[in-house]
Amino acid sequence: MLKQLTHSGLPIYQNLDSLKLAVEAPHLLGGYGDKPLKRMVDLFQDSSAANLDEDVYDVYRDIRSDEDDELFKKHKFQYDITVIHQGLIGKERKKTSGHFHGWETSGKHSYPEVYEVLSGTALFVLQKSMNFDIKDPTQIVIDDLILVKAEMGQAVIVPPDYGHCSVNIGEGDMIFSNLAYQPCPVLYEAVQAHHGMAMYVGTDQEGLTFLKNKMYSKLPKAHLATPKENGDLGIKFGTPVYKAFINDPEAFNFLGHPDNYINQIMDLLEIGEEI
Ligand SMILES: [Fe+2]
């Protein structure tokens, strides 16, 4: 059986038996990769009891309609979809590896990106660091730690300077899209050196659990947050990000040139309780 990812606004379907996605012509798919546990064992708090061949997540890269191809190329943007499967690794929720983005050409800030939840419930772990690319990655300093809970149809701008990973905290698979500036370097070292992001997210009988990662020498207070909308930045819940980009590409100028948008982007996070 196929389930359409209607919040994408695109003819993209999940096969509910194989859990793989299908992209309907004339839409194009640039690439695909799966991430079994064996390639991310060191990123979980405790994966010793889990099956190393278990699929944690799949990424479908560079999805676009044939007729939108030129627009994506002109702006150097890329639209991808990630499927984080349901389930636990140890006591921890399945998640993506986590990474930082490279610096924008001014060198003041790193590149942001847009995440949009297409199915399930997401928790995006965001950790700010201004020295994430230093030679000894164990010495990075985390200045801020925010966990953004987002529901289907909501979009979140991952702010510049924040490393990020995505956690599936709902029922079933959590599927999200990202729109990003394609030349942006993706840097995994700092997160790998710490055995994951600054917060491990798990589940017990009471609900979600949060465990600070002690591999980081010093961590700030962590806060939960929810996303807000800003039509000027193309973020309107219920309007697919893909469509928002096609209709108004200039609204997404912040993706390649974030320096003048820092405050607007940070204002999109409604900071809630401390955890
Ligand atoms: Fe990213």
Side-chain angles (χ1 to χ4, degrees):
M1 204 168 82
L2 297 176
K3 177 186 145 192
Q4 186 171 4
L5 302 181
T6 51
H7 287 283
S8 69
L10 298 168
I12 298 176
Y13 305 84
Q14 186 181 32
N15 181 322
L16 295 181
D17 297 317
S18 67
L19 302 179
K20 301 296 181 192
L21 299 190
V23 177
E24 193 173 280
H27 286 69
L28 308 169
L29 174 64
Y32 162 80
D34 62 350
K35 198 77 174 252
L37 178 60
K38 63 184 161 208
R39 284 178 39 224
M40 55 187 302
V41 273
D42 291 340
L43 298 172
F44 285 95
Q45 185 206 350
D46 178 10
S47 58
S48 55
N51 172 6
L52 290 178
D53 290 322
E54 191 169 336
D55 196 16
V56 180
Y57 66 97
D58 301 319
V59 185
Y60 300 79
R61 292 189 195 91
D62 201 9
I63 298 168
R64 73 278 182 212
S65 158
D66 196 19
E67 63 179 14
D68 301 329
D69 195 37
E70 282 305 312
L71 194 63
F72 276 95
K73 283 199 177 104
K74 181 182 161 200
H75 290 270
K76 299 185 184 159
F77 288 173
Q78 186 169 318
Y79 178 90
D80 313 300
I81 293 181
T82 300
V83 178
I84 306 179
H85 298 298
Q86 66 177 334
L88 299 169
I89 302 296
K91 289 178 181 163
E92 207 181 335
R93 290 278 184 159
K94 283 189 180 175
K95 63 184 181 183
T96 56
S97 299
H99 58 247
F100 282 88
H101 286 176
W103 298 105
E104 199 262 330
T105 44
S106 74
K108 289 184 191 158
H109 297 284
S110 65
Y111 290 105
E113 74 182 306
V114 178
Y115 279 172
E116 171 189 41
V117 182
L118 304 178
S119 187
T121 307
L123 195 72
F124 300 118
V125 179
L126 311 179
Q127 59 186 43
K128 183 180 180 183
S129 175
M130 300 308 285
N131 70 344
F132 56 85
D133 58 347
I134 53 171
K135 225 174 189 169
D136 178 358
T138 63
Q139 298 303 309
I140 70 163
V141 176
I142 303 296
D143 303 314
D144 193 18
L145 183 52
I146 306 173
L147 281 69
V148 188
K149 185 182 179 192
E151 304 286 353
M152 222 163 20
Q154 293 187 320
V156 175
I157 299 180
V158 175
D161 311 320
Y162 283 74
H164 42 279
C165 95
S166 310
V167 187
N168 178 355
I169 61 164
E171 302 293 323
D173 286 359
M174 194 284 275
I175 305 178
F176 69 100
S177 71
N178 69 275
L179 183 68
Y181 187 59
Q182 201 265 336
C184 162
V186 176
L187 310 168
Y188 292 93
E189 292 78 4
V191 177
Q192 272 166 352
H194 292 87
H195 290 246
M197 298 282 287
M199 190 73 87
Y200 294 119
V201 181
T203 303
D204 65 13
Q205 296 87 334
E206 313 276 295
L208 289 180
T209 59
F210 302 102
L211 183 68
K212 279 192 174 173
N213 179 349
K214 293 193 172 65
M215 293 292 289
Y216 291 84
S217 52
K218 202 173 153 211
L219 285 176
K221 289 174 180 170
H223 290 89
L224 286 173
T226 51
K228 289 193 281 188
E229 300 172 285
N230 182 344
D232 292 345
L233 299 180
I235 305 299
K236 213 152 182 304
F237 301 157
T239 300
V241 168
Y242 186 103
K243 269 197 181 152
F245 165 60
I246 300 303
N247 292 341
D248 186 8
E250 299 309 323
F252 292 87
N253 186 50
F254 65 89
L255 284 174
H257 309 89
D259 287 2
N260 295 330
Y261 297 93
I262 303 296
N263 292 339
Q264 277 184 77
I265 292 173
M266 292 310 297
D267 281 347
L268 287 181
L269 295 175
E270 181 79 50
I271 303 296
E273 63 174 296
E274 187 186 331
I275 47 169

